Amino acid sequence: MRDPFFTPPASVVKGTEPLARALALRTLPFHVHEILPAFCFYEFVNRVVSPYVSARLAPRTYPRLPRETKINWNVHFVSMVQSCFINTLAIWVIFADKERRRMDWRGRVWGYTGAGGMVQGFATGYFAWDLMASIKDVNVHGWGALFHALSALAVSMMGFRPFVNYYGVNFILYELSTPFLNIHWWLDKAGMTGSTLQLVNGITLLTTFSGSRLVWGTYQNYRMYRDIWRAIGTPGDLPVPTWLAMGYVFSTTVLSVLNFYWFGKMVQTVAKRFERPKDEIEEGEKRR
């Protein structure tokens, strides 16, 4: 399936071919026109759209937030926009791209479609922005977020060789839980901690996170590891460099480990939101 986004200008393709050759990313020139606009768009959302919209939707909360919390708020706003967009795009490609659906293990390892590359391009633009934001404010977001952004960008860039581009689109569905994570965070800052709305959202968050990242993600990792191993062990096919296989497997494994770690933290966090204070429990027991 061809890239349904507009065709990149010939000057852009030619201008990025030397970089693509140097990095062995053959399909990169065909998607630079998606990567760069996405990067710029998310920075615009972070600097302009989020402050403007947030100050009007939460006039009693957003303007009074400390600087570091505002930075975090804006990042969550960008994340919400990106996750809603990229999830919709990835799901559409998974169902609409018939060429992609017909791929065997060779296609899943070395194959490429324009539509899959489009999803990868827009995702790469976001991951590049996320890495920049994580480096700039690592004291706010933490080292875990930095390593996550670095691993995600590495995985998406490797797909432009092309290499396991098929799985790159599948891994995008990690983001299905992200909108609920953002809502949970915003409810805390809006003074709605422990509310019924946060309880419902918290249950939905844990369900979508475990389903998309732990179950779906682990299953896709298993399929990807199996296909890569088969490609390495099949003589006569295109060779898979050891460094490339190890780099991709390492990056996706880091993401998986972080997902399990964050799931444990989320369970603790959601549970704490609805724990009754100790003195309240003791008071209730005395009344009995």
Side-chain angles (χ1 to χ4, degrees):
M1 182 177 176
R2 293 184 177 182
D3 186 342
F5 202 53
F6 69 88
T7 304
S11 58
V12 172
V13 174
K14 289 183 179 180
T16 53
E17 281 179 348
L19 176 63
R21 282 195 297 269
L23 298 177
L25 303 175
R26 289 186 297 139
T27 63
L28 179 63
F30 306 117
H31 299 286
V32 171
H33 69 301
E34 292 152 351
I35 297 173
L36 295 181
F39 180 92
C40 295
F41 172 72
Y42 291 125
E43 180 63 6
F44 177 75
V45 171
N46 178 62
R47 288 180 175 271
V48 179
V49 179
S50 177
Y52 179 83
V53 174
S54 300
R56 282 153 182 77
L57 292 181
R60 297 181 180 179
T61 303
Y62 182 81
R64 301 176 184 177
L65 293 175
R67 176 184 171 276
E68 291 186 353
T69 308
K70 275 188 179 179
I71 290 173
N72 229 333
W73 180 295
N74 294 336
V75 167
H76 279 278
F77 193 102
V78 174
S79 172
M80 177 65 86
V81 173
Q82 188 268 346
S83 59
C84 291
F85 169 69
I86 205 68
N87 279 325
T88 303
L89 202 62
I91 292 172
W92 176 73
V93 168
I94 287 173
F95 284 99
D97 192 345
K98 296 180 181 178
E99 180 184 354
R100 181 181 178 276
R101 289 209 306 271
R102 289 194 296 265
M103 288 180 176
D104 59 6
W105 68 269
R106 290 179 176 84
R108 293 193 295 269
V109 175
W110 293 293
Y112 162 82
T113 69
M118 173 191 65
V119 174
Q120 181 185 358
F122 283 122
T124 299
Y126 170 75
F127 291 138
W129 176 87
D130 190 37
L131 179 60
M132 178 199 70
S134 298
I135 294 173
K136 179 184 174 185
D137 296 300
V138 67
N139 60 313
V140 177
H141 308 301
W143 288 97
L146 176 59
F147 289 134
H148 178 274
L150 184 60
S151 296
L153 180 60
V155 166
S156 63
M157 287 297 291
M158 288 179 194
F160 289 116
R161 291 184 67 89
F163 181 68
V164 291
N165 180 265
Y166 174 94
Y167 289 105
V169 176
N170 290 352
F171 286 137
I172 288 296
L173 298 188
Y174 277 5
E175 298 294 324
L176 286 171
S177 62
T178 302
F180 305 104
L181 177 62
N182 293 326
I183 292 171
H184 187 84
W185 190 89
W186 280 325
L187 289 173
D188 271 347
K189 298 301 175 283
M192 298 181 68
T193 301
S195 64
T196 301
L197 178 58
Q198 191 176 56
L199 174 61
V200 173
N201 182 78
I203 294 172
T204 307
L205 167 60
L206 296 178
T207 302
T208 54
F209 192 98
S210 60
S212 64
R213 297 186 181 232
L214 307 190
V215 179
W216 170 261
T218 301
Y219 174 61
Q220 294 303 318
N221 271 320
Y222 163 74
R223 293 182 65 205
M224 183 195 68
Y225 296 156
R226 184 185 59 185
D227 284 343
I228 291 176
W229 182 254
R230 188 171 180 178
I232 292 174
T234 302
D237 277 300
L238 291 172
V240 175
T242 302
W243 69 266
L244 178 62
M246 291 183 64
Y248 202 96
V249 168
F250 175 77
S251 297
T252 54
T253 301
V254 167
L255 292 174
S256 294
V257 171
L258 286 173
N259 284 332
F260 277 93
Y261 170 76
W262 282 331
F263 181 72
K265 288 291 186 182
M266 281 195 294
V267 170
Q268 295 175 1
T269 300
V270 172
K272 284 181 180 179
R273 297 294 187 275
F274 303 97
E275 284 181 354
R276 292 174 61 191
K278 186 177 179 180
D279 55 349
E280 184 179 315
I281 296 174
E282 292 176 350
E283 182 65 26
E285 290 176 350
K286 288 179 182 179
R287 292 179 181 176
R288 291 178 186 175

